[in-house]
Amino acid sequence: SCAKLITRFRGSMVGAVIGDCIGACFEMNDEECTKSNILKTIAHIENVKAGKRRKFGEYIYTDDTAMARSVAESLIDNKGFNAKDMAKRFSEEYMREPRRGYGGNVITVFKLLQDPQLEDVFEPARRQFDGQGSFGNGGAMRIVPAPLFSYNKDIEFLQNLTRQITEITHSHYQAIQGTILESLAIYIALHTDNTIPLDTDHYLQQLKKHMNTLEEEGLAQESEKNDKPYCYKLDKMKEYLEQEEVSIDELNEVLGNDVSALGSVPAAIYSFLRSSKPFTDELEDRNGFEKTIIYAISMKGDTDTIASMAGAIAGAYYGIKSIPDSWQHSCEGAIDASKYADKLIDISEELK
Ligand code: R7I
Ligand code: MG
Ligand code: MG
Ligand code: MG
């Protein structure tokens, strides 16, 4: 029903903001990323309730959320994808608040997008990195509004929309594939019955089916490549979930935790899936959303982005009620995210 669906739309949009805001305290600060340290930050956040240390919205969002807001606003105002409008919003948002922690190279794209004479808004992205395009995770980190917008549409619609949104800044095939994987992970989580325990094998199978097709297509174009790295990582996740406990070092080695799409989207998906299994440590008393965020940050490296992408998936599955009020109050932009979710659900119903 719609009443239930709205909690999941809100959960996904707000979940992404929460992961970004809390994860940003730890980005590229690996030695801080122990579970007990992360829980110290969470304890501070939970003091908001008592009106003690923390102020409303004190944890500020970064580029991940700034760009997701532009994606949401553009999809809502245009009731669909409008490349020029979305490009304009990305670039104006960057000019308005350049200090949100943007990737080192994407800002070149934003500057070129300022040119009013620019005919093809996809051109600056194609020129990045000597013409191969960026393989950074900046496409995947902002994609959450797309699977919500596409809720009543099929996978092909979702993939096309995702690809177009990504290509405004990221044209490398691995960035596009990784963003599609994140989009699918959210879309499938939204469509999965959350009143029964999550079947992680089935969830991974669905992702693998689509990624296999995409990577096969990619192979035809990239003849020098002979592997399917996203499919490989999905297989490894299945293997890890069958094991008792896998070390963070091993996960970092195999799944990655860096600013590339290939090195971060799998870590986000794994954080969500791992959280549906029991923990024997400090995490055991936390709910599935809380576990996902804390676990995602414990992956180290690009923590704001990994936690944000994981939070979008977990929020879509567990719903807004799983996100503690104190966390929502502490994170800048969480209330706006809920409003975007409400507008996106209206539009997705219209598109039925
Ligand atoms: O992908 P992007 O928007 O960055 C997002 C990340 C997230 O972690 C945010 O939280 C923020 O911190 O930044 O920005 P890009 O500049 O396109 O890519 C990010 C980085 O990935 C680049 O600065 C490069 O270091 C690296 N990178 C590449 N390096 C070599 N060759 C991306 N593509 C390439 C490449 O093709
Ligand atoms: Mg960021
Ligand atoms: Mg950063
Ligand atoms: Mg980041």
Side-chain angles (χ1 to χ4, degrees):
S1 76
C2 207
K4 273 185 195 152
L5 200 54
I6 198 122
T7 77
R8 299 177 70 171
F9 271 57
R10 286 181 188 164
S12 189
M13 288 294 290
V14 175
V17 173
I18 302 280
D20 180 21
C21 293
I22 303 179
C25 308
F26 300 89
E27 191 183 20
M28 304 302 171
N29 205 346
D30 287 1
E31 59 288 353
E32 296 287 311
C33 295
T34 60
K35 277 191 188 151
S36 63
N37 230 340
I38 300 163
L39 286 164
K40 260 187 224 160
T41 295
I42 300 286
H44 271 264
I45 288 171
E46 290 174 345
N47 274 336
V48 173
K49 226 182 204 159
K52 286 181 189 157
R53 277 174 232 152
R54 293 290 169 185
K55 295 196 293 270
F56 191 86
E58 176 168 344
Y59 286 75
I60 58 164
Y61 66 74
T62 76
D63 57 328
D64 307 51
T65 300
M67 294 195 81
R69 290 165 66 100
S70 293
V71 172
E73 285 169 11
S74 185
L75 289 176
I76 291 164
D77 288 356
N78 295 280
K79 295 198 175 187
F81 180 70
N82 177 332
K84 278 214 159 118
D85 177 74
M86 199 176 283
K88 187 164 182 271
R89 287 179 201 259
F90 286 160
S91 140
E92 284 179 355
E93 170 59 31
Y94 166 70
M95 295 300 160
R96 204 169 60 82
E97 295 185 338
R99 290 176 210 281
R100 289 279 185 183
Y102 286 91
N105 294 75
V106 73
I107 61 179
T108 308
V109 175
F110 298 141
K111 286 172 189 159
L112 293 169
L113 288 174
Q114 288 280 297
D115 177 5
Q117 306 299 317
L118 186 71
E119 288 285 336
D120 178 4
V121 294
F122 297 102
E123 179 60 27
R126 282 198 294 265
R127 275 194 243 148
Q128 293 289 88
F129 296 96
D130 296 323
Q132 70 156 1
S134 170
F135 55 55
N137 56 19
M141 73 182 184
R142 65 175 184 246
I143 206 61
V144 52
L148 306 195
F149 182 88
S150 308
Y151 181 78
N152 288 305
K153 296 286 190 181
D154 62 16
I155 298 272
E156 201 191 326
F157 179 95
L158 173 66
Q159 291 196 7
N160 285 332
L161 177 62
T162 301
R163 181 183 296 270
Q164 288 176 298
I165 295 171
T166 307
E167 284 178 341
I168 299 174
T169 52
H170 291 68
S171 69
H172 193 285
Y173 69 101
Q174 269 182 6
I176 296 166
Q177 290 172 346
T179 310
I180 290 175
L181 177 56
E182 171 67 9
S183 245
L184 288 166
I186 297 165
Y187 180 91
I188 295 169
L190 269 181
H191 282 88
T192 300
D193 183 357
N194 63 4
T195 63
I196 51 170
L198 180 66
D199 181 345
T200 57
D201 276 0
H202 180 62
Y203 182 85
L204 283 169
Q205 267 166 28
Q206 293 178 79
L207 291 177
K208 174 115 188 261
K209 189 182 87 188
H210 299 298
M211 292 312 290
N212 194 52
T213 309
L214 277 180
E215 288 194 308
E216 296 268 338
E217 286 166 6
L219 290 181
Q221 291 161 19
E222 300 279 317
S223 51
E224 80 278 14
K225 291 261 176 194
N226 57 9
D227 57 350
K228 294 186 275 186
Y230 284 106
C231 287
Y232 172 75
K233 292 188 181 193
L234 291 168
D235 286 341
K236 292 301 281 187
M237 286 184 221
K238 177 177 153 61
E239 212 178 290
Y240 290 148
L241 290 166
E242 285 158 6
Q243 292 172 28
E244 194 59 25
E245 191 62 77
V246 183
S247 74
I248 296 290
D249 284 350
E250 159 106 26
L251 294 170
N252 290 164
E253 184 76 29
V254 173
L255 302 180
N257 67 354
D258 61 32
V259 295
S260 69
L262 181 59
S264 56
V265 176
I269 293 171
Y270 186 75
S271 300
F272 164 62
L273 295 175
R274 175 64 188 84
S275 299
S276 68
K277 292 196 3 173
F279 283 91
T280 53
D281 61 9
E282 316 92 298
L283 289 196
E284 73 170 313
D285 296 328
R286 296 276 171 177
N287 72 32
F289 179 85
E290 296 166 355
K291 283 175 178 153
T292 300
I293 295 293
I294 298 163
Y295 195 82
I297 297 173
S298 78
M299 301 276 274
K300 307 183 278 185
D302 193 1
T303 49
D304 65 332
T305 304
I306 295 170
S308 181
M309 297 191 296
I313 306 166
Y317 182 75
Y318 297 110
I320 189 80
K321 288 192 185 76
S322 69
I323 309 180
D325 287 345
S326 58
W327 294 30
Q328 295 185 52
H329 292 157
S330 303
C331 294
E332 179 196 17
I335 292 171
D336 288 345
S338 233
K339 290 179 186 156
Y340 293 133
D342 293 359
K343 289 181 181 162
L344 285 165
I345 204 168
D346 287 345
I347 295 182
S348 78
E349 289 296 309
E350 283 176 37
L351 291 177
K352 237 180 192 164

Short mmCIF file of all heavy atoms in Angstrom, two decimals, residues 18 22 35-59 282-283 285-287 289-291 293-294 321-331:
data_model
loop_
_atom_site.label_atom_id
_atom_site.label_comp_id
_atom_site.label_asym_id
_atom_site.label_seq_id
_atom_site.Cartn_x
_atom_site.Cartn_y
_atom_site.Cartn_z
N ILE A 18 21.89 10.52 5.79
CA ILE A 18 22.47 10.11 7.08
C ILE A 18 23.85 9.48 6.87
O ILE A 18 24.81 9.81 7.58
CB ILE A 18 21.54 9.07 7.78
CG1 ILE A 18 20.13 9.64 7.99
CG2 ILE A 18 22.18 8.50 9.04
CD1 ILE A 18 19.97 10.54 9.15
N ILE A 22 27.15 11.31 8.51
CA ILE A 22 27.92 10.64 9.56
C ILE A 22 29.22 10.10 8.99
O ILE A 22 30.29 10.25 9.57
CB ILE A 22 27.09 9.52 10.24
CG1 ILE A 22 25.78 10.10 10.82
CG2 ILE A 22 27.92 8.85 11.36
CD1 ILE A 22 24.88 9.07 11.48
N LYS A 35 34.92 0.19 15.21
CA LYS A 35 33.51 0.19 15.60
C LYS A 35 33.29 1.00 16.88
O LYS A 35 32.31 1.75 16.99
CB LYS A 35 32.98 -1.23 15.77
CG LYS A 35 32.56 -1.82 14.42
CD LYS A 35 31.80 -3.11 14.57
CE LYS A 35 31.59 -3.73 13.18
NZ LYS A 35 31.51 -5.20 13.23
N SER A 36 34.19 0.88 17.85
CA SER A 36 33.97 1.60 19.11
C SER A 36 34.05 3.11 18.89
O SER A 36 33.30 3.89 19.50
CB SER A 36 34.94 1.13 20.19
OG SER A 36 36.26 1.43 19.81
N ASN A 37 34.93 3.52 18.00
CA ASN A 37 35.05 4.95 17.67
C ASN A 37 33.80 5.47 16.95
O ASN A 37 33.31 6.57 17.23
CB ASN A 37 36.25 5.14 16.75
CG ASN A 37 37.15 6.24 17.24
OD1 ASN A 37 36.74 7.08 18.03
ND2 ASN A 37 38.37 6.23 16.77
N ILE A 38 33.31 4.67 16.01
CA ILE A 38 32.11 5.06 15.26
C ILE A 38 30.94 5.17 16.25
O ILE A 38 30.14 6.12 16.20
CB ILE A 38 31.80 4.05 14.14
CG1 ILE A 38 32.99 3.99 13.15
CG2 ILE A 38 30.51 4.42 13.40
CD1 ILE A 38 32.98 2.76 12.24
N LEU A 39 30.89 4.22 17.18
CA LEU A 39 29.79 4.24 18.17
C LEU A 39 29.89 5.44 19.11
O LEU A 39 28.88 5.90 19.64
CB LEU A 39 29.74 2.91 18.93
CG LEU A 39 29.17 1.76 18.07
CD1 LEU A 39 29.48 0.41 18.68
CD2 LEU A 39 27.66 1.93 17.85
N LYS A 40 31.08 5.96 19.30
CA LYS A 40 31.24 7.18 20.11
C LYS A 40 30.57 8.36 19.42
O LYS A 40 29.90 9.18 20.05
CB LYS A 40 32.74 7.48 20.31
CG LYS A 40 33.28 7.06 21.66
CD LYS A 40 34.72 7.55 21.81
CE LYS A 40 35.60 6.46 22.39
NZ LYS A 40 37.03 6.66 22.14
N THR A 41 30.80 8.45 18.12
CA THR A 41 30.15 9.51 17.34
C THR A 41 28.63 9.34 17.39
O THR A 41 27.89 10.31 17.58
CB THR A 41 30.65 9.48 15.88
OG1 THR A 41 32.04 9.80 15.90
CG2 THR A 41 29.92 10.47 15.00
N ILE A 42 28.18 8.10 17.25
CA ILE A 42 26.74 7.81 17.29
C ILE A 42 26.17 8.21 18.67
O ILE A 42 25.07 8.77 18.76
CB ILE A 42 26.47 6.31 17.02
CG1 ILE A 42 27.00 5.90 15.65
CG2 ILE A 42 25.00 5.97 17.19
CD1 ILE A 42 26.21 6.35 14.45
N ALA A 43 26.93 7.96 19.72
CA ALA A 43 26.48 8.32 21.07
C ALA A 43 26.30 9.83 21.19
O ALA A 43 25.33 10.31 21.80
CB ALA A 43 27.47 7.81 22.12
N HIS A 44 27.20 10.59 20.59
CA HIS A 44 27.07 12.05 20.56
C HIS A 44 25.77 12.44 19.87
O HIS A 44 25.02 13.28 20.36
CB HIS A 44 28.23 12.67 19.76
CG HIS A 44 29.41 12.99 20.59
ND1 HIS A 44 29.64 14.24 21.12
CD2 HIS A 44 30.45 12.22 20.99
CE1 HIS A 44 30.77 14.22 21.80
NE2 HIS A 44 31.27 13.01 21.74
N ILE A 45 25.54 11.81 18.73
CA ILE A 45 24.35 12.10 17.94
C ILE A 45 23.09 11.79 18.74
O ILE A 45 22.12 12.55 18.72
CB ILE A 45 24.38 11.29 16.61
CG1 ILE A 45 25.44 11.88 15.68
CG2 ILE A 45 23.01 11.25 15.95
CD1 ILE A 45 25.73 11.05 14.46
N GLU A 46 23.13 10.71 19.48
CA GLU A 46 21.93 10.29 20.21
C GLU A 46 21.67 11.17 21.43
O GLU A 46 20.56 11.15 21.98
CB GLU A 46 22.02 8.79 20.52
CG GLU A 46 21.87 8.02 19.19
CD GLU A 46 22.07 6.52 19.26
OE1 GLU A 46 22.60 6.03 20.26
OE2 GLU A 46 21.69 5.86 18.28
N ASN A 47 22.64 11.98 21.80
CA ASN A 47 22.44 12.96 22.87
C ASN A 47 21.58 14.14 22.44
O ASN A 47 21.14 14.90 23.28
CB ASN A 47 23.78 13.49 23.37
CG ASN A 47 24.35 12.60 24.43
OD1 ASN A 47 23.61 11.87 25.09
ND2 ASN A 47 25.66 12.63 24.57
N VAL A 48 21.38 14.30 21.14
CA VAL A 48 20.54 15.39 20.64
C VAL A 48 19.17 15.33 21.31
O VAL A 48 18.60 16.34 21.69
CB VAL A 48 20.32 15.26 19.11
CG1 VAL A 48 19.30 16.28 18.63
CG2 VAL A 48 21.63 15.46 18.39
N LYS A 49 18.70 14.10 21.43
CA LYS A 49 17.39 13.85 22.00
C LYS A 49 17.25 14.54 23.36
O LYS A 49 16.26 15.17 23.65
CB LYS A 49 17.20 12.34 22.18
CG LYS A 49 15.86 11.86 21.70
CD LYS A 49 15.74 10.36 21.97
CE LYS A 49 14.74 9.75 21.01
NZ LYS A 49 14.95 8.31 20.88
N ALA A 50 18.30 14.39 24.14
CA ALA A 50 18.28 14.97 25.49
C ALA A 50 18.61 16.46 25.43
O ALA A 50 18.68 17.13 26.45
CB ALA A 50 19.27 14.24 26.37
N GLY A 51 18.79 16.99 24.23
CA GLY A 51 19.12 18.40 24.08
C GLY A 51 20.45 18.77 24.67
O GLY A 51 20.70 19.89 25.06
N LYS A 52 21.33 17.81 24.71
CA LYS A 52 22.63 18.05 25.33
C LYS A 52 23.63 18.61 24.33
O LYS A 52 23.50 19.71 23.84
CB LYS A 52 23.14 16.79 26.01
CG LYS A 52 22.39 16.52 27.30
CD LYS A 52 22.92 15.28 27.98
CE LYS A 52 22.01 14.91 29.17
NZ LYS A 52 22.12 13.50 29.50
N ARG A 53 24.61 17.81 23.98
CA ARG A 53 25.75 18.36 23.26
C ARG A 53 25.48 18.85 21.84
O ARG A 53 25.96 19.90 21.45
CB ARG A 53 26.86 17.31 23.20
CG ARG A 53 27.68 17.32 24.45
CD ARG A 53 28.67 16.19 24.42
NE ARG A 53 28.55 15.41 25.64
CZ ARG A 53 28.82 14.13 25.74
NH1 ARG A 53 29.22 13.46 24.70
NH2 ARG A 53 28.68 13.52 26.87
N ARG A 54 24.74 18.05 21.11
CA ARG A 54 24.68 18.32 19.68
C ARG A 54 23.52 19.24 19.29
O ARG A 54 22.46 19.20 19.87
CB ARG A 54 24.58 17.02 18.91
CG ARG A 54 25.85 16.18 19.01
CD ARG A 54 26.98 16.83 18.24
NE ARG A 54 28.24 16.17 18.56
CZ ARG A 54 29.42 16.57 18.11
NH1 ARG A 54 29.50 17.63 17.33
NH2 ARG A 54 30.51 15.94 18.43
N LYS A 55 23.76 20.04 18.27
CA LYS A 55 22.74 20.96 17.78
C LYS A 55 22.03 20.36 16.57
O LYS A 55 22.57 19.53 15.87
CB LYS A 55 23.39 22.28 17.38
CG LYS A 55 24.00 23.04 18.55
CD LYS A 55 24.27 24.49 18.20
CE LYS A 55 25.35 24.70 17.15
NZ LYS A 55 26.70 24.84 17.68
N PHE A 56 20.87 20.86 16.32
CA PHE A 56 20.06 20.42 15.18
C PHE A 56 20.85 20.57 13.87
O PHE A 56 21.38 21.64 13.59
CB PHE A 56 18.79 21.28 15.13
CG PHE A 56 17.76 20.76 14.17
CD1 PHE A 56 16.85 19.79 14.57
CD2 PHE A 56 17.70 21.25 12.88
CE1 PHE A 56 15.89 19.31 13.69
CE2 PHE A 56 16.75 20.77 12.00
CZ PHE A 56 15.84 19.80 12.40
N GLY A 57 20.91 19.50 13.10
CA GLY A 57 21.58 19.57 11.79
C GLY A 57 23.06 19.84 11.83
O GLY A 57 23.64 20.32 10.86
N GLU A 58 23.69 19.53 12.92
CA GLU A 58 25.11 19.85 13.07
C GLU A 58 26.02 19.04 12.14
O GLU A 58 27.06 19.53 11.72
CB GLU A 58 25.53 19.63 14.52
CG GLU A 58 27.02 19.86 14.69
CD GLU A 58 27.44 19.95 16.14
OE1 GLU A 58 26.58 20.13 17.01
OE2 GLU A 58 28.65 19.83 16.39
N TYR A 59 25.62 17.83 11.83
CA TYR A 59 26.43 17.02 10.92
C TYR A 59 26.10 17.43 9.50
O TYR A 59 24.99 17.22 9.03
CB TYR A 59 26.15 15.53 11.16
CG TYR A 59 26.79 15.05 12.45
CD1 TYR A 59 26.22 15.38 13.68
CD2 TYR A 59 27.98 14.33 12.43
CE1 TYR A 59 26.82 14.99 14.87
CE2 TYR A 59 28.58 13.93 13.61
CZ TYR A 59 28.00 14.27 14.82
OH TYR A 59 28.60 13.88 15.99
N GLU A 282 29.39 -5.25 19.42
CA GLU A 282 28.60 -4.08 19.85
C GLU A 282 27.40 -3.80 18.94
O GLU A 282 26.49 -3.07 19.32
CB GLU A 282 29.43 -2.80 19.84
CG GLU A 282 30.81 -2.82 20.38
CD GLU A 282 31.91 -3.10 19.40
OE1 GLU A 282 31.92 -4.20 18.80
OE2 GLU A 282 32.79 -2.23 19.25
N LEU A 283 27.42 -4.34 17.73
CA LEU A 283 26.35 -4.03 16.78
C LEU A 283 25.08 -4.84 17.02
O LEU A 283 24.03 -4.52 16.47
CB LEU A 283 26.81 -4.26 15.34
CG LEU A 283 27.83 -3.29 14.77
CD1 LEU A 283 27.89 -3.41 13.26
CD2 LEU A 283 27.51 -1.86 15.15
N ASP A 285 22.76 -5.18 19.15
CA ASP A 285 21.51 -4.59 19.62
C ASP A 285 20.96 -3.50 18.71
O ASP A 285 19.93 -2.89 19.02
CB ASP A 285 21.70 -4.01 21.03
CG ASP A 285 22.04 -5.11 22.03
OD1 ASP A 285 21.55 -6.25 21.83
OD2 ASP A 285 22.80 -4.83 22.98
N ARG A 286 21.62 -3.23 17.62
CA ARG A 286 21.18 -2.17 16.70
C ARG A 286 20.23 -2.74 15.65
O ARG A 286 20.29 -3.93 15.33
CB ARG A 286 22.41 -1.58 16.00
CG ARG A 286 23.38 -0.88 16.95
CD ARG A 286 22.93 0.52 17.19
NE ARG A 286 23.66 1.20 18.25
CZ ARG A 286 23.44 2.47 18.57
NH1 ARG A 286 22.53 3.18 17.94
NH2 ARG A 286 24.10 3.04 19.54
N ASN A 287 19.37 -1.90 15.08
CA ASN A 287 18.49 -2.38 14.01
C ASN A 287 19.25 -2.45 12.68
O ASN A 287 20.40 -2.02 12.58
CB ASN A 287 17.20 -1.54 13.93
CG ASN A 287 17.44 -0.14 13.36
OD1 ASN A 287 18.30 0.06 12.51
ND2 ASN A 287 16.65 0.82 13.80
N PHE A 289 19.09 -0.89 9.82
CA PHE A 289 19.59 0.35 9.23
C PHE A 289 20.83 0.83 9.97
O PHE A 289 21.85 1.18 9.36
CB PHE A 289 18.52 1.45 9.23
CG PHE A 289 19.03 2.74 8.65
CD1 PHE A 289 19.01 2.95 7.28
CD2 PHE A 289 19.60 3.72 9.46
CE1 PHE A 289 19.54 4.11 6.73
CE2 PHE A 289 20.14 4.89 8.92
CZ PHE A 289 20.10 5.08 7.55
N GLU A 290 20.75 0.83 11.30
CA GLU A 290 21.89 1.29 12.12
C GLU A 290 23.12 0.42 11.86
O GLU A 290 24.24 0.94 11.71
CB GLU A 290 21.52 1.25 13.60
CG GLU A 290 20.40 2.21 13.98
CD GLU A 290 19.82 1.94 15.38
OE1 GLU A 290 20.21 0.94 16.02
OE2 GLU A 290 18.97 2.72 15.81
N LYS A 291 22.88 -0.90 11.81
CA LYS A 291 24.00 -1.82 11.53
C LYS A 291 24.64 -1.49 10.19
O LYS A 291 25.86 -1.47 10.06
CB LYS A 291 23.49 -3.27 11.49
CG LYS A 291 23.22 -3.87 12.85
CD LYS A 291 22.60 -5.26 12.68
CE LYS A 291 22.37 -5.90 14.04
NZ LYS A 291 21.27 -6.87 14.02
N ILE A 293 24.80 1.32 8.48
CA ILE A 293 25.60 2.56 8.48
C ILE A 293 26.92 2.36 9.25
O ILE A 293 27.99 2.73 8.76
CB ILE A 293 24.80 3.73 9.09
CG1 ILE A 293 23.57 4.07 8.22
CG2 ILE A 293 25.69 4.97 9.30
CD1 ILE A 293 23.88 4.65 6.85
N ILE A 294 26.82 1.77 10.42
CA ILE A 294 28.03 1.60 11.24
C ILE A 294 29.01 0.66 10.53
O ILE A 294 30.21 0.92 10.46
CB ILE A 294 27.67 1.10 12.65
CG1 ILE A 294 26.80 2.14 13.37
CG2 ILE A 294 28.93 0.79 13.47
CD1 ILE A 294 26.04 1.62 14.58
N LYS A 321 11.18 4.43 9.66
CA LYS A 321 11.04 4.17 11.10
C LYS A 321 12.28 3.52 11.69
O LYS A 321 12.49 3.56 12.90
CB LYS A 321 9.82 3.29 11.36
CG LYS A 321 8.52 4.05 11.16
CD LYS A 321 7.30 3.28 11.69
CE LYS A 321 6.02 4.00 11.37
NZ LYS A 321 5.66 3.82 9.93
N SER A 322 13.11 2.94 10.83
CA SER A 322 14.34 2.32 11.32
C SER A 322 15.45 3.36 11.55
O SER A 322 16.51 3.03 12.10
CB SER A 322 14.83 1.26 10.34
OG SER A 322 15.27 1.87 9.14
N ILE A 323 15.22 4.59 11.11
CA ILE A 323 16.25 5.63 11.27
C ILE A 323 15.92 6.45 12.52
O ILE A 323 14.91 7.15 12.55
CB ILE A 323 16.33 6.56 10.04
CG1 ILE A 323 16.46 5.72 8.74
CG2 ILE A 323 17.49 7.55 10.18
CD1 ILE A 323 16.54 6.54 7.45
N PRO A 324 16.75 6.34 13.56
CA PRO A 324 16.42 7.02 14.82
C PRO A 324 16.18 8.53 14.62
O PRO A 324 16.87 9.16 13.83
CB PRO A 324 17.67 6.79 15.68
CG PRO A 324 18.31 5.57 15.10
CD PRO A 324 18.01 5.60 13.63
N ASP A 325 15.20 9.07 15.33
CA ASP A 325 14.91 10.51 15.24
C ASP A 325 16.14 11.35 15.51
O ASP A 325 16.38 12.37 14.84
CB ASP A 325 13.83 10.89 16.27
CG ASP A 325 12.45 10.38 15.85
OD1 ASP A 325 12.29 10.01 14.66
OD2 ASP A 325 11.55 10.35 16.70
N SER A 326 16.92 10.95 16.50
CA SER A 326 18.11 11.74 16.84
C SER A 326 19.08 11.81 15.66
O SER A 326 19.71 12.83 15.43
CB SER A 326 18.81 11.15 18.06
OG SER A 326 19.19 9.81 17.81
N TRP A 327 19.18 10.74 14.90
CA TRP A 327 20.07 10.73 13.73
C TRP A 327 19.50 11.70 12.69
O TRP A 327 20.25 12.46 12.06
CB TRP A 327 20.17 9.34 13.09
CG TRP A 327 20.83 8.28 13.91
CD1 TRP A 327 20.84 8.18 15.29
CD2 TRP A 327 21.54 7.14 13.43
NE1 TRP A 327 21.52 7.05 15.66
CE2 TRP A 327 21.95 6.39 14.55
CE3 TRP A 327 21.86 6.67 12.15
CZ2 TRP A 327 22.68 5.19 14.42
CZ3 TRP A 327 22.58 5.49 12.02
CH2 TRP A 327 22.99 4.76 13.15
N GLN A 328 18.20 11.66 12.50
CA GLN A 328 17.57 12.55 11.51
C GLN A 328 17.73 14.01 11.91
O GLN A 328 18.00 14.87 11.09
CB GLN A 328 16.09 12.20 11.34
CG GLN A 328 15.87 10.82 10.74
CD GLN A 328 14.41 10.52 10.46
OE1 GLN A 328 13.73 11.30 9.80
NE2 GLN A 328 13.92 9.40 10.97
N HIS A 329 17.56 14.28 13.21
CA HIS A 329 17.68 15.66 13.69
C HIS A 329 19.11 16.17 13.57
O HIS A 329 19.34 17.37 13.40
CB HIS A 329 17.23 15.76 15.15
CG HIS A 329 15.76 15.54 15.31
ND1 HIS A 329 15.20 15.12 16.50
CD2 HIS A 329 14.75 15.66 14.43
CE1 HIS A 329 13.88 15.00 16.33
NE2 HIS A 329 13.59 15.32 15.07
N SER A 330 20.08 15.28 13.66
CA SER A 330 21.48 15.70 13.67
C SER A 330 22.04 15.98 12.28
O SER A 330 23.08 16.61 12.16
CB SER A 330 22.34 14.62 14.30
OG SER A 330 21.88 14.34 15.58
N CYS A 331 21.38 15.45 11.26
CA CYS A 331 21.98 15.51 9.93
C CYS A 331 21.32 16.57 9.06
O CYS A 331 20.11 16.54 8.83
CB CYS A 331 21.89 14.13 9.27
SG CYS A 331 22.90 12.91 10.11
#
